[in-house]
Each structure stands twice: as structure tokens, then as C-alpha cells.
Amino acid sequence: MTAVEPDAAPERDLALTVNGRRKRVRIEDRQLLVDVLRDNLGMTGTHIGCANGDCGACTVRMDGQITKSCLVLAASAEGADVTTIEGYSPRGTLDHVQQAFWDLDAFQCGFCLPGHLFAVRDLLDRDPDPGEDDIREALRGNLCRCTGYVNLVAAAGEAARREREDQSP
Ligand code: FES
């Protein structure tokens, strides 16, 4: 009796922009965006924590929206414009959010850092003067296993203060 070969997983080409560069990759139809970013494109700064949409470790910006890439079927990202943590600061300098996180020790192991940075950046782009409740709400979908929430909230507030100071005449 001969062994039956399992059917190969259906594949397709995927074209998208990642951190400002056009990419074309061969993917399996079943792959998630987080897996394509990490495994096919080597963007391992996008982390996998829960693979369930709960922890925020896989957060990217997709077409301008904060997105949990473990919840996105990669095939649906055809033509999308994706920013990963590697492209967060394209000029290679720290923005106020990153600098405040650094100065106020707002990360420990760093695993959740990409999601928290994107969440705070997104908040400050919408609201330059958020209150503590606004900050906590913005960070709600991001889990810090080191429980560094006090410093995370403080750093977000400090980043907002520095940006306002920078932009005041
Ligand atoms: Fe996507 Fe946790 S890995 S939200």
C-alpha cells in the first residue's frame, strides 16, 4: 500500500507595504499576518503572546489603524500599508513616547513594548492632552506580564506633556 500524500496547503502571492517598502511574499492561505511578518519577512519585533487578540504583543499599524496582527488573515492584507515596531521611528531617533518610556522605566522585559508604544502613539495623535483615565483606556488591550502599569501610565502622560511643550509657541 502506498502512502497518501496530504494535500499541499493552498498558497498565494501577497503584496503589501511594510515600513514603507513594497513586499511580495508567497504565503499559505491559512497564515496570519503576525506569522507572515515574523516568519516570511523577519520582522520579529512583532511578538506573539496569546495569539488570541487579548494581549496586544502583536500590535502593528495597518492602513493607519492600530491592529492586532494575530487576528488578521494575511491574505486579507493584500495592498495594505503596515508599520511594525521596526518602522515605528523611521528616522532612527526616539520620539517623545519612546524617550519617556526610556526615561521612566516603562518597560521591563520588553515583550509588550511594541503594543504599548503603538497604543500611546495612537492616543497622542488623537488627543494631545489625555487624562489618566484616557491613558488607561488606550492601554486596555495591552497586557504587561511584568505588571509595569504604573510606569507605563506615567510615561504616557509624560510623553504627552513633552509633546505639548514642544509644540507650544
Ligand atoms: Fe495578538 Fe496577543 S498575540 S493579541
Side-chain angles (χ1 to χ4, degrees):
M1 201 160 93
T2 55
V4 178
E5 286 291 321
D7 290 341
E11 294 184 349
R12 69 176 64 209
D13 288 326
L14 172 69
L16 72 174
T17 301
V18 180
N19 300 331
R21 296 194 173 172
R22 294 284 297 161
K23 303 283 183 185
R24 177 174 288 278
V25 285
R26 189 78 182 160
I27 64 166
E28 292 181 10
D29 283 359
R30 63 186 175 185
Q31 277 186 280
L32 299 170
L33 180 58
V34 65
D35 295 321
V36 170
L37 291 171
R38 289 177 56 84
D39 300 339
N40 300 56
L41 296 173
M43 302 288 173
T44 53
T46 305
H47 296 151
I48 303 173
C50 64
N52 215 19
D54 293 326
C55 76
C58 64
T59 302
V60 297
R61 191 182 297 120
M62 180 168 155
D63 294 332
Q65 300 290 318
I66 296 300
T67 302
K68 291 177 176 175
S69 59
C70 74
L71 297 181
V72 177
L73 203 55
S76 72
E78 176 68 32
D81 184 6
V82 175
T83 303
T84 69
I85 196 63
E86 289 88 347
Y88 176 97
S89 190
R91 288 183 298 279
T93 55
L94 302 185
D95 75 349
H96 284 301
V97 179
Q98 292 169 305
Q99 191 65 55
F101 271 51
W102 177 261
D103 293 342
L104 277 73
D105 291 330
F107 56 92
Q108 293 177 47
C109 78
F111 193 81
C112 67
L113 189 59
H116 278 106
L117 286 172
F118 274 120
V120 175
R121 179 72 271 152
D122 184 59
L123 171 65
L124 300 192
D125 288 348
R126 290 182 282 111
D127 179 1
D129 191 9
E132 183 174 327
D133 287 348
D134 303 317
I135 293 170
R136 289 186 181 279
E137 176 64 21
L139 297 182
R140 195 163 52 91
N142 296 272
L143 300 182
C144 171
R145 289 159 177 78
C146 309
T147 66
Y149 297 106
V150 170
N151 290 15
L152 283 162
V153 171
E158 176 63 12
R161 189 192 67 73
R162 291 178 185 180
E163 283 201 348
R164 289 196 307 276
E165 198 173 86
D166 237 18
Q167 287 161 10
S168 66

